[in-house]
Amino acid sequence: MFIDYYKALGLDKNASQAQIKSAYRKLARKYHPDLNPDDRDAKKNFQLINEANEVLSDPEKRAKYDQYGKDWRHAEEYQHAEQSTRQQYASGGSGRRGNFTGAGNNTEFSDFFESLFGEFRGTSHGRKVKFRGEDYNADLHLSLRDVYQSRKQELEINGKKIRITIPAGVENEQTIKITGMGSQGINGGPNGDLYIKFVIDNDTSFKRLKNDLYKTIDIDLYTAILGGETIIDSMDGKIRIKVKPGTQTGSRVKLKGKGFPVYKSDNEFGDLIITFNVKVPENISAEEKEIFTKLAEIHRKRQEK
């Protein structure tokens, strides 16, 4: 079935790359699965506009699509057969008889070539020519918490449901290939592949860099000066950590193995790096102000010694 990618994006064939980009972004927001849960039509439209954008935003793919339509992925085979046919007729070789003149009659040649290529793909020389199926590309939106542990996910690709296991630790925009899950091959050719790109939204207070997690926490002035303990959140629960006396704003502590899981490495984790931010008390009482004044005087005298 022929899919008009221009129509899918609401454009005509003369659309600029900027117009294609703008139309795709607008429709992607409209049909995004996160905004249309349980809406099968929205999911199909989202997949369609992604497919259309993949082709039309690539000048080389777009040129093939404009010339060959639904068969654009087989453009090289068409071009090879076209060249062979031109050479055959230019040399007066045997084959189909017709009124083909080579140049100057594109319509006549196009009709003739469609007929010839249909035979070439089907029964030419007593055999069928096999073609590999098209590859599928899909974006899978997940949260950072979703990929902290391995999980099974059900996807619907062109009306077909498949289940995949997503290993813990995948990164944003990482792409995996699932062999043979693209479109069906032609004349017994191999199926295409499915390429899934992960789009990971950070729904946590952590910053992720590779396998390490970073977080800034507040501690009060008294704990910073005297030392003590504080409780922080990690990806797998709360952790009690020690604060050294005299801790300064911007100082760090590294918690080994409390970061993000390493992709496809069981029981291996990055680190969690905590940065301290010392909070100065506001609106102190008269008694507190008196105590701080005395402390400041003691500190000044000590510095003068």
Side-chain angles (χ1 to χ4, degrees), residues 214-234:
Y214 294 80
K215 186 175 184 176
T216 298
I217 66 167
D218 294 333
I219 58 173
D220 60 60
L221 178 64
Y222 312 105
T223 302
I225 294 173
L226 302 174
E229 292 184 336
T230 188
I231 296 176
I232 66 168
D233 291 320
S234 70

Side-chain angles (χ1 to χ4, degrees), residues 65-213:
Y65 175 78
D66 287 345
Q67 184 173 0
Y68 297 107
K70 67 182 179 65
D71 293 315
W72 71 272
R73 292 184 185 273
H74 304 302
E76 292 183 2
E77 287 90 343
Y78 270 90
Q79 291 163 358
H80 175 73
E82 179 181 344
Q83 183 180 11
S84 297
T85 303
R86 287 183 182 276
Q87 292 173 347
Q88 180 181 4
Y89 276 80
S91 61
S94 61
R96 273 183 186 257
R97 299 193 177 191
N99 213 8
F100 173 61
T101 59
N105 194 340
N106 292 334
T107 302
E108 180 182 1
F109 176 77
S110 179
D111 294 340
F112 172 81
F113 179 68
E114 275 298 322
S115 174
L116 175 64
F117 193 75
E119 178 181 281
F120 171 73
R121 286 196 301 174
T123 59
S124 178
H125 304 294
R127 65 182 180 86
K128 291 186 176 182
V129 178
K130 299 179 180 180
F131 293 104
R132 183 178 181 277
E134 297 179 6
D135 292 333
Y136 290 156
N137 292 272
D139 289 350
L140 180 57
H141 289 255
L142 299 168
S143 70
L144 194 62
R145 293 188 185 278
D146 287 336
V147 295
Y148 182 72
Q149 295 179 326
S150 295
R151 55 181 284 144
K152 294 187 182 296
Q153 181 91 17
E154 185 176 89
L155 306 177
E156 185 172 331
I157 307 296
N158 280 14
K160 182 179 180 181
K161 291 185 177 181
I162 64 171
R163 287 184 65 84
I164 64 172
T165 297
I166 303 171
V170 297
E171 295 193 39
N172 185 43
E173 297 193 348
Q174 180 176 342
T175 300
I176 63 172
K177 180 178 76 171
I178 303 179
T179 304
M181 293 307 297
S183 70
Q184 188 173 357
I186 299 173
N187 294 334
N191 291 350
D193 300 324
L194 169 61
Y195 291 88
I196 298 177
K197 184 176 74 173
F198 295 100
V199 180
I200 301 174
D201 300 315
N202 191 347
D203 59 340
T204 74
S205 58
F206 302 98
K207 179 181 179 181
R208 180 188 181 189
L209 291 177
K210 298 295 183 180
N211 302 313
D212 293 332
L213 295 175

